[in-house]
Amino acid sequence: MHRAEETTVASYADFYRRSIDDRDVFWAEQAQLIDWATSPQTICDYSNPPFARWFADGTTNLCYNAVDRHLADRGDQRALIFVSTETDQEIVYTYRQLHAEVQRMAAALQGLGVRKGDRVLIYMPMIAEACFAMLACARIGAVHSVVFGGFASGSLATRIDDAEPTVIVSADAGSRGGKPVPYKHLLDEAIKLAAHKPQAVLLVDRGLAPMQLVEGRDHLWGALRESLLDAQVPCEWVEATHPSYTLYTSGTTGKPKGVQRDTGGYAVALAASIRNIYCGKPGETFFCTSDIGWVVGHSYIIYGPLIGGMATIMYEGTPVRPDGGIWWKLVEKYKVSVMFSAPTAIRVLKKQDPKYLSQYDLSSLRSLFLAGEPLDEPTAKWISEGLNHKPIIDNYWQTETGWPILAVCNGVEPTPTRFGSPGKAVYGYNVKLLDDQTGEELTGPNQKGVIAVQGPLPPGCLQTVWRDDARYVNTYWSSVPNQLVYSTFDWGIRDEDGYYFILGRTDDVINVAGHRLGTREIEEAIAAHPNVAEVAVVGVADQLKGQVAMAFAVLKDASQLEDPDAMLKLEGDVMKLVDGSLGAVARPARVRFVAVLPKTRSGKLLRRAVQAVCEGRDPGDLTTMEDPGALQQIKDLVAGV
Ligand code: ATP
Ligand code: MG
């Protein structure tokens, strides 16, 4: 039995306190949730702040913890459930089968020259082989760098040059809305553009798009796999601080940052989070609808659920094809207990007939977790009602942290949620609210400040920016003079009970005639209008007031979008709504209506691009933007075309 299970915890407040005040004892207990080749004796080495080295003298392996250690007890239980509504495939891998596939992939990578510490870039759709490739890297101590499938060749090329991979694993194509999205030519183009050349490219041929193989460089997984059916590749025991992967942030606020993650701290953090935050149990099913290209996919499609001995669903497809009930159908079929999605996905479902939510037996589902962006009240209410008032749990974190900073830890003590709040500070994170001008700590309730974390960051968080320690320190740890705190660049408030509310990015704070406002507050007020589906508010430089708010909204019923009079009337109605809820000072200078808002491919509003366009500036790095047409529409509106 794990020692952590024997500890009786009186309350979450005690649990949290211990994690900060008695840090090493606390994390030594959590460390027993995973298997080690050498148990760590040093828990947190913070001799060189802000660089924290967790469990530094321990050795372990992520793949061992995710796969091998479950073979004895649950070898024939489900591990990976691959579902594609794009290609109509559904394949279930038991832990034993997953173990075999991962060893085949590991042998293939080794055969292509990959050794411990080498990087492997994974540019793949949401197919089982992508999971095999990630776990195979972890198995042999290689560092994976997953790049969201379908990124254009330019974005891919910069990532190839940053990671300098020995091997790239890819596929002929992804698929979206039933149509193949060819990858191979994008990859070829990216390799041409990049200064670094991989030794080999390993390709999964799904039969979706023609591929031209480059002699001597390109290898087909199908053929290699056949020759490696009995491959046995032992896990390479690596130091807990050995990098497991690098991953880029979403690029919402600028050029994406290459986050580097360790091995031991990450495994411990995930194992503990599955138990304390997501409340998943071995043998149950976890369904996370994200993509492996994002941190949520790394932590809660692949590593977290598997480390926790759960089955995990890897889903390729949209939430509305073949119909808006597909996710709920999977919940019924695989008896999903824990589901994890993003507000943006729920907003897509909200446009569908609510009948889909009542068509399936969802009794296995305990809670739905949402993260990635603010969860607005109308969306939370809609899904909560649709799911018969099952808990809808917002949680707040970042690519950098790898797991939640703010959440409710129901696995420690049942804690009620509050609308609009992702919960309280999670154990291990010494969260502070700071005055963004003076850096002073704000200790009273309901004060607005920057959310920061006093070092050391807990296990699982980024070790550094890949190959750029200086950038790590300068970007994250240098915002407050004479104080070593990690800045999240998000702005929020904390109520008297310790619940936080995110007001937006620090960049999104606007100053209208001396009043500091969060764009999120104005967006919430506008979103309360019955015909507003989604809205982005940005601060735009104004000679008189310093800044004014500008709003761009997507309508639920857009039939009158081309009628200027109707839109003017609606603009007035929306302004009145803002006046009523926040006061006239928050009233946007203009409220414009558009068909679609510019977003990153991970579904986040690109406010900084909207702001730049409104101010007639260059919108900067747009490599992670989903639909360039969305920004053009705003440009045209602003230019008065
Ligand atoms: P970049 O750092 O490159 O600008 P990004 O910050 O969007 O991109 P991610 O790491 O994917 O990259 O997103 C983390 C951010 O998402 C957080 O800093 C916060 O702004 C927002 N976020 C995440 N979860 C929540 C949440 N539950 N509520 C509000 N905002 C959230
Ligand atoms: Mg960020």
Side-chain angles (χ1 to χ4, degrees), residues 345-381:
I346 305 302
R347 283 193 283 267
V348 169
L349 291 178
K350 203 167 130 199
K351 291 180 194 143
Q352 308 285 309
D353 194 329
K355 74 166 189 224
Y356 291 121
L357 278 155
S358 50
Q359 270 179 354
Y360 299 96
D361 174 6
L362 306 180
S363 55
S364 61
L365 187 67
R366 281 195 300 270
S367 17
L368 168 67
F369 290 85
L370 299 171
E373 48 170 336
L375 174 60
D376 57 283
E377 206 164 320
T379 304
K381 280 223 165 94

Side-chain angles (χ1 to χ4, degrees), residues 249-257 295 370-375 394-400 422 476 488-490 502 504-505 520 600 602 604:
T249 59
S250 296
T252 309
T253 54
K255 196 170 178 296
K257 300 166 277 273
V295 69
L370 299 171
E373 48 170 336
L375 174 60
D394 188 1
N395 54 124
Y396 160 89
W397 45 298
Q398 309 182 301
T399 309
E400 291 87 341
Y476 296 105
T488 62
F489 304 109
D490 290 311
I502 310 290
R505 316 271 178 152
R520 162 103 199 267
T600 63
S602 52
K604 292 161 187 239

Side-chain angles (χ1 to χ4, degrees), residues 439-455:
E440 206 176 304
E441 187 177 348
L442 306 172
T443 49
N446 304 320
Q447 291 176 287
K448 295 180 187 178
V450 180
I451 298 169
V453 184
Q454 189 169 317

